[in-house]
Amino acid sequence: MKLSPSLAALTLPLLSGGAVAADLSVKFELPQLNVAEYHKPYVAMWIEKADGSVASTLAVLYDVKKKDNAGEKWVKDMRTWWRKVGRETTLPIDGVSGATRAAGTHTLSFGPARTGIDKLPAGDYKLVVEAAREAGGRELVRVPFALPAKGKVAANAVGKEELGAVSINIQ
């Protein structure tokens, strides 16, 4: 079968520009902190393009069940996510918002339909994870990676206080 020149011009960029149809998982550690008043941290994670804009918000973890949506009050403490996406978003975000996590290591998995990673053009990206606690600290960790991936993508970074090891795995 031979494609007409106009059909080929429309089809080829779609075939070569798409990144991957892939599942993405993020493993992150929330360290147990020895402080007088400990609250589980709020966590936001997103994929950032090379220009710093947001390609996709993956998760926003906060106290979603607090009476009268009082948990949303502290979401603003994830300042970077809030400035880029949060202040123009209505919470909770279906399929994105979730409960906070206790100290320990956690893994969140996302399919391509959820992340849109299969539609991203080739290039450099960063997984960004931001954690903030009520009456506590805030930390942001960026994990660089590139698309399209040949095979698996695995990258990691380590936080210093509010976040421990953070890794991304795309396959």
Side-chain angles (χ1 to χ4, degrees), residues 26-30 43 45 61 101 104-108 165-166:
V26 177
K27 188 174 181 180
F28 62 102
E29 179 184 8
L30 300 172
V43 177
M45 57 182 69
L61 309 177
R101 303 294 195 269
T105 301
H106 306 277
T107 301
L108 298 178
V166 176

Side-chain angles (χ1 to χ4, degrees), residues 49-93:
K49 297 177 186 174
D51 65 359
S53 64
V54 175
S56 177
T57 297
L58 302 175
V60 180
L61 309 177
Y62 64 99
D63 193 347
V64 293
K65 293 186 177 180
K66 210 164 194 174
K67 188 176 180 182
D68 298 326
N69 299 324
E72 294 178 15
K73 173 183 174 185
W74 301 99
V75 171
K76 295 175 186 172
D77 284 358
M78 298 183 290
R79 292 191 302 253
T80 303
W81 178 80
W82 182 256
R83 289 178 185 142
K84 290 181 179 253
V85 178
R87 63 183 166 196
E88 298 172 7
T89 302
T90 302
L91 294 171
I93 306 170

Side-chain angles (χ1 to χ4, degrees), residues 5-24:
S6 60
L7 183 57
L10 291 173
T11 307
L12 290 176
L14 293 173
L15 295 174
S16 63
V20 289
D23 291 323
L24 180 153

Side-chain angles (χ1 to χ4, degrees), residues 1 40 46 48 51 73 82 92 96 100 127 135 142 151 154:
M1 179 173 128
K40 294 178 187 174
W46 65 94
E48 190 175 81
D51 65 359
K73 173 183 174 185
W82 182 256
V96 172
T100 57
L127 165 74
R142 286 186 164 89

Side-chain angles (χ1 to χ4, degrees), residues 94-118:
D94 190 31
V96 172
S97 296
T100 57
R101 303 294 195 269
T105 301
H106 306 277
T107 301
L108 298 178
S109 297
F110 310 93
R114 171 63 200 86
T115 64
I117 199 165
D118 56 332

Side-chain angles (χ1 to χ4, degrees), residues 116-151:
I117 199 165
D118 56 332
K119 296 176 179 64
L120 293 175
D124 295 325
Y125 295 91
K126 293 177 184 149
L127 165 74
V128 185
V129 179
E130 182 174 25
R133 286 182 300 114
E134 294 178 29
R138 179 185 82 86
E139 186 169 21
L140 188 100
V141 172
R142 286 186 164 89
V143 182
F145 64 96
L147 294 175
K150 292 182 179 173

